[in-house]
Amino acid sequence: MSQYHEPVMLKEAIRLLDPKPNENFIDCTLGGGGHAEEILKKNGSGRVLGIDLDQEALDESRDRLKGFQERMVFVQGNFADLKNIVQVNKFTDISGILLDLGVSYHQLKSPGRGFSYRLEGELDMRLGEKIPVSAKDYIEGISANDLKNILEKYGEVRSAERISQKIIDYRKNIKIASTLDLTRSVLGKKEINKTNVKLISQVFQAIRIAVNNELENLNQVLSQALEILRPSGRMVVISYHSLEDRIVKKYFQKEARDCICPDDALQCQCDHKKRLKIITKKPLTASKSEILSNRKGRSAKLRAIIKI
């Protein structure tokens, strides 16, 4: 079985998207097509637009969904361009949108992709070949101060200044070209263990987010997704770290309110009108049984809304 074939929180996502016959959906992070397959089983003659940056994922999902090919539209692209993708493909009357963020298990376990600090491979970290700069080139050109800021902002690394300087000092003598080069630049000769695994994972996360512009892309897609949803349409977002979840939570909370003026404002001046209803008061998390079979589910948080 392919490593793509275990989508996270599948039952919860499908229940909240609530696909019905003849409804159209967008899967902004198609991956291996697991979520899309379940939607296609339930939406009758409705269609699904599947977007992914990774051509490998699209090839995998095409194979998995070949029985539904007349109702599938496959697009290699960045979900930050969602409105344009929808317009180019004349995909309208959209009842639901899914975003399953982060790196797939397949990508993480492919040494050549450079996402894993445990597997030696070229330090790439790009979610798709259209991303212009690899992690190797990114680290080669960054200053110590900019790297410190990236580690603080995207990795929440407490010792960001010290770690960034270690990486820069290492770079002076040895080109950081592989995943293990980056690991050694941070940990020296120490093996990865319980005391340092959090630090190295934070460093890899920060650089991956920066290389792929992940948080900026998420900010861009949320407003576009809400705009193109039809009234009563639903959006489900599954995130895997606090930075992503915070963006989703704040955006949903803002758009669920009529007024977004500061609390000390004497009267409303923003003319903001609420555009959605939050249907997950608290983010849903994966069940214990799912976490046992799918480790990616450990950190998953699912939030969902209905457009009003």
Side-chain angles (χ1 to χ4, degrees), residues 84-95:
N84 183 58
I85 290 171
V86 165
Q87 289 168 1
V88 168
N89 289 278
K90 297 181 173 59
F91 199 84
T92 59
D93 195 24
I94 299 153
S95 295

Side-chain angles (χ1 to χ4, degrees), residues 196-213:
N196 60 31
V197 67
K198 181 179 179 181
L199 171 61
I200 194 62
S201 65
Q202 288 173 320
V203 170
F204 269 68
Q205 172 185 295
I207 294 169
R208 189 202 82 220
I209 289 173
V211 165
N212 293 286
N213 215 30

Side-chain angles (χ1 to χ4, degrees), residues 251-269:
Y251 181 77
F252 285 173
Q253 287 178 338
K254 182 188 79 168
E255 296 300 336
R257 296 168 54 191
D258 273 333
C259 174
I260 55 174
C261 290
D263 292 338
D264 58 356
L266 296 178
Q267 67 181 66
C268 178
Q269 296 178 329

Side-chain angles (χ1 to χ4, degrees), residues 224-272:
Q224 294 178 61
L226 186 58
E227 183 178 341
I228 65 176
L229 269 177
R230 74 179 193 182
S232 77
R234 296 177 173 227
M235 187 190 331
V236 169
V237 184
I238 306 171
S239 61
Y240 297 91
H241 57 74
S242 59
L243 298 173
E244 291 173 337
D245 183 60
R246 199 174 303 146
I247 289 171
V248 177
K249 177 183 177 180
K250 285 185 176 181
Y251 181 77
F252 285 173
Q253 287 178 338
K254 182 188 79 168
E255 296 300 336
R257 296 168 54 191
D258 273 333
C259 174
I260 55 174
C261 290
D263 292 338
D264 58 356
L266 296 178
Q267 67 181 66
C268 178
Q269 296 178 329
C270 68
D271 294 324
H272 185 269

Side-chain angles (χ1 to χ4, degrees), residues 266-307:
L266 296 178
Q267 67 181 66
C268 178
Q269 296 178 329
C270 68
D271 294 324
H272 185 269
K273 299 298 181 185
K274 62 183 178 181
R275 303 166 65 198
L276 60 84
K277 176 184 177 182
I278 297 170
I279 53 177
T280 47
K281 290 184 179 180
K282 292 183 178 180
L284 304 185
T285 55
S287 65
K288 290 181 179 179
S289 60
E290 177 172 4
I291 292 170
L292 286 173
S293 64
N294 189 356
R295 293 188 66 194
K296 191 182 178 187
R298 289 179 301 171
S299 56
K301 290 185 177 181
L302 185 154
R303 296 182 185 271
I305 60 94
I306 296 176
K307 181 175 179 177

